[in-house]
Amino acid sequence: MTAPDPQAAGRETADELVRRLSADDAAGVDELLAGITEIRDLVFVGAGLTTIARAHGRQLPPAQRAQASTRQLNLGQLRDRHRGDPDGLRTWLRRSAEEVLVLRALREAAARVAG
């Protein structure tokens, strides 16, 4: 039996976090984040969220893409400040998931304007 791929597991958890947040399931978000106890696992979820955010950000018009890039840098600084603090990293994950929702909304608005 092979061990689960931590990167794939992190991406799946990131997708689930965004899904719960977009469903306005605050209790579900809290439950999911509380269940991630290892710093390593928190970081893999964050990597998954970053991948999602960057993919959405690349689809934005240039000015919004630049703003999204700045917000990603700010999220990276938040992560770095809480490198050894699981609760701080959970805050980073929540804010990163919120950023994914913002980027999706911006992308949808840009598509409506362009189309």
Side-chain angles (χ1 to χ4, degrees):
M1 185 165 122
T2 58
D5 175 15
Q7 196 170 13
R11 176 59 192 258
E12 288 175 19
T13 304
D15 288 336
E16 179 62 18
L17 178 58
V18 171
R19 188 192 67 71
R20 289 182 188 195
L21 197 59
S22 68
D24 208 19
D25 180 7
V29 169
D30 291 342
E31 178 185 350
L32 181 64
L33 290 174
I36 308 169
T37 57
E38 298 294 322
I39 288 177
R40 178 177 183 262
D41 296 332
L42 291 162
V43 171
F44 276 115
V45 173
L49 289 167
T50 300
T51 299
I52 297 166
R54 287 189 177 152
H56 289 325
R58 283 191 295 271
Q59 298 171 2
L60 294 173
Q64 290 178 328
R65 188 171 42 240
Q67 291 171 345
S69 179
T70 299
R71 289 192 304 271
Q72 283 298 309
L73 289 173
N74 292 338
L75 285 167
Q77 292 170 349
L78 177 64
R79 177 202 61 223
D80 291 347
R81 283 194 305 271
H82 296 289
R83 202 170 279 286
D85 173 21
D87 288 332
L89 290 173
R90 287 185 192 98
T91 298
W92 163 61
L93 292 179
R94 181 183 297 272
R95 290 190 185 158
S96 295
E98 290 167 351
E99 175 64 10
V100 168
L101 296 181
V102 167
L103 291 170
R104 283 183 180 170
L106 289 172
R107 187 186 69 198
E108 291 167 7
R112 281 192 304 274
V113 169

